[in-house]
Amino acid sequence: SRIFNTSQLNKPGLSLNNITLKNGYSSTEGGTIYAGGSINLSNVSILNSKAKVGGAIFLNDINSSVTIGGGTFQGNDAVQGSFLAMTCNDNLIYTTRSITLSGASVVQNGSPTSLSTFAFCGQPGVNISTSTIAKNIADSSTGRIIQFTSNTPQGKVNVSISSVLQMLSNTIVQNTAASTLLYNSYGS
């Protein structure tokens, strides 16, 4: 079953340190973490989790965000966002959220039928630094490792023109997909 669900009642924050979470599962969203509030992960590993959307982590609702410092995210799978996915709109507007990865290893996630490893939408402010994104797999004709676009081979995605993706000093190698970064003129 899913390991953490913070989407109920007051949508509390969740902070985890120095722990490994394994084999989370959901038939819908968020194999390991279904977040309604802020998530802070320090040296946390999520391994072998599975869901339809957001294999390891799914960010739901307007209060959800994630900050990751260190850790390994490996062997997770989903149709969309084998590692990370999120809601696009809440309360009829683009969902604004902060997503930070620093010193993390996102490796060997996805499958030949997965559409993405990172499925960004809404109005995310994303900062990925000194992280490794390697050996992830998505569909070889329509899949993408990092989806940061309003147009995908499967159709439109709700992405705000105010979205931001910053990537600094990362190692991105040996991924298998139609594209590693799928991006159009939306966001910066």
Side-chain angles (χ1 to χ4, degrees):
S1 65
R2 182 186 292 132
I3 298 174
F4 288 101
N5 181 349
T6 66
S7 68
Q8 303 298 313
L9 301 174
N10 61 353
K11 299 175 177 61
L14 175 68
S15 292
L16 300 173
N17 300 297
N18 305 313
I19 190 170
T20 298
L21 306 171
K22 293 170 54 175
N23 303 319
Y25 173 79
S26 172
S27 61
T28 57
E29 296 95 4
T32 293
I33 298 175
Y34 187 73
S38 63
I39 305 297
N40 292 292
L41 306 177
S42 177
N43 195 31
V44 171
S45 294
I46 298 179
L47 310 175
N48 304 318
S49 293
K50 188 171 184 177
K52 184 175 180 182
V53 181
I57 301 169
F58 185 83
L59 302 175
N60 185 57
D61 207 287
I62 59 173
N63 298 313
S64 64
S65 64
V66 64
T67 300
I68 296 172
T72 299
F73 303 88
Q74 182 174 3
N76 304 294
D77 193 19
V79 175
Q80 293 180 349
S82 293
F83 163 57
L84 176 68
M86 59 206 65
T87 56
C88 302
N89 298 322
D90 289 290
N91 300 326
L92 302 176
I93 59 172
Y94 290 117
T95 306
T96 303
R97 62 173 47 93
S98 172
I99 299 163
T100 303
L101 277 78
S102 177
S105 295
V106 180
V107 296
Q108 296 176 331
N109 296 287
S111 68
T113 58
S114 178
L115 299 176
S116 57
T117 303
F118 294 80
F120 294 115
C121 69
Q123 187 177 319
V126 183
N127 187 327
I128 303 173
S129 63
T130 61
S131 294
T132 299
I133 301 170
K135 297 186 178 180
N136 298 290
I137 300 171
D139 184 283
S140 61
S141 60
T142 60
R144 51 269 177 203
I145 302 304
I146 301 170
Q147 171 194 294
F148 199 81
T149 178
S150 61
N151 294 309
T152 71
Q154 291 75 33
K156 291 267 188 196
V157 174
N158 290 325
V159 177
S160 168
I161 60 172
S162 299
S163 300
V164 176
L165 173 62
Q166 298 179 55
M167 301 183 78
L168 179 65
S169 300
N170 297 292
T171 301
I172 304 174
V173 295
Q174 297 179 342
N175 295 288
T176 303
S179 64
T180 299
L181 172 61
L182 185 62
Y183 171 76
N184 65 0
S185 60
Y186 274 66
S188 63

